Amino acid sequence: DTGVSQDPRHKITKRGQNVTFRCDPISEHNRLYWYRQTLGQGPEFLTYFQNEAQLEKSRLLSDRFSAERPKGSFSTLEIQRTEQGDSAMYLCASSFTGPMNTEAFFGQGTRLTVV
Amino acid sequence: LAKTTQPISMDSYEGQEVNITCSHNNIATNDYITWYQQFPSQGPRFIIQGYKTKVTNEVASLFIPADRKSSTLSLPRVSLSDTAVYYCLVNPGGYQKVTFGIGTKLQVIP
């Protein structure tokens, strides 16, 4: 297993366009998280899945953002009608639910630039 | 969720031990303390996690006093490649659904 994979690594889009990012977690991990990170800040939690169920969304996640994880495998994050303020690094992480607290493994991220 | 406070930046010479302290006064009973390292343009990487007392792995040690209101990440004999941002998180057991703080930018000097 090569770890958490995100695609694309970079995306430039015009304001108002829709974009979709993909995350492939580590195969045996049942939890998947999405974060957003802007320059000089730490990652900001957006949402998380346990298997295919989206169990929590941050209050900061606007209606333009939607995430799915069909069949509990890969996940997609879609941003509709992008705005310049959406420019950020979007990070995906996965973890395994075990008897003890376990670490999250992060992907390399997708850097979005809205022009 | 418990808020964390850590120094914004630290400098250290190569070969020295570095200790980064994080305050988390409102930590809850079921919260764990987790530290991550992040290099530019990469996702964070797990360093160490603990609940109480001392935890040690091959890269770091984590010291947690009895009241658990703070924790100290100790990096032995740092090298230039340890230059990175270090984040302290307090997260409910089993979950990483937390927003990271600004972190501590560690600069290792030759």
Side-chain angles (χ1 to χ4, degrees):
Chain A
D1 196 331
T2 57
V4 178
S5 177
Q6 293 189 245
D7 182 71
R9 291 293 309 278
H10 303 274
K11 178 71 176 180
I12 300 174
T13 190
K14 291 184 178 179
R15 190 175 51 187
Q17 298 293 304
N18 299 343
V19 293
T20 300
F21 310 139
R22 176 179 171 123
C23 172
D24 286 274
I26 293 172
S27 56
E28 63 268 25
H29 285 183
N30 58 347
R31 287 187 179 154
L32 186 146
Y33 307 82
W34 284 99
Y35 296 82
R36 175 173 60 193
Q37 185 173 26
T38 54
L39 195 63
Q41 302 296 315
E44 172 192 17
F45 169 75
L46 295 178
T47 188
Y48 97 96
F49 293 82
Q50 178 146 328
N51 300 312
E52 67 276 8
Q54 186 174 18
L55 296 186
E56 189 165 328
K57 293 195 295 185
S58 166
R59 294 172 298 168
L60 302 173
L61 200 64
S62 82
D63 293 341
R64 297 184 296 106
F65 287 70
S66 62
E68 294 183 342
R69 192 183 182 197
K71 302 178 183 178
S73 55
F74 70 92
S75 177
T76 58
L77 178 69
E78 181 183 17
I79 309 174
Q80 296 182 325
R81 305 181 302 282
T82 53
E83 302 172 357
Q84 287 190 322
D86 297 330
S87 295
M89 174 78 85
Y90 289 84
L91 293 161
C92 174
S94 69
S95 69
F96 177 71
T97 307
M100 297 174 61
N101 199 18
T102 56
E103 66 189 269
F105 292 80
F106 282 80
Q108 297 273 52
T110 294
R111 182 168 296 282
L112 173 67
T113 302
V114 181
V115 299
Chain B
L1 294 174
K3 181 181 176 181
T4 59
T5 303
Q6 52 184 122
I8 293 175
S9 65
M10 294 180 69
D11 292 338
S12 176
Y13 286 103
E14 239 184 327
Q16 289 191 327
E17 178 184 77
V18 171
N19 295 310
I20 307 174
T21 296
C22 179
S23 296
H24 27 80
N25 291 318
N26 297 323
I27 190 167
T29 302
N30 65 337
D31 285 341
Y32 284 73
I33 300 154
T34 310
W35 286 80
Y36 284 86
Q37 174 193 57
Q38 188 177 29
F39 299 111
S41 299
Q42 293 188 24
R45 185 175 72 101
F46 173 87
I47 300 174
I48 197 166
Q49 185 178 81
Y51 184 80
K52 61 180 179 180
T53 63
K54 178 183 174 182
V55 180
T56 298
N57 62 21
E58 62 275 10
V59 298
S61 294
L62 179 60
F63 298 92
I64 306 169
D67 65 6
R68 303 200 327 123
K69 293 182 183 297
S70 66
S71 59
T72 299
L73 173 72
S74 181
L75 304 172
R77 299 179 299 281
V78 293
S79 65
L80 296 176
S81 63
D82 292 318
T83 294
V85 179
Y86 292 82
Y87 296 99
C88 164
L89 299 184
V90 171
N91 50 296
Y95 295 90
Q96 299 288 334
K97 50 175 181 173
V98 291
T99 287
F100 291 48
I102 295 176
T104 297
K105 187 171 184 179
L106 173 65
Q107 180 70 51
V108 180
I109 306 164

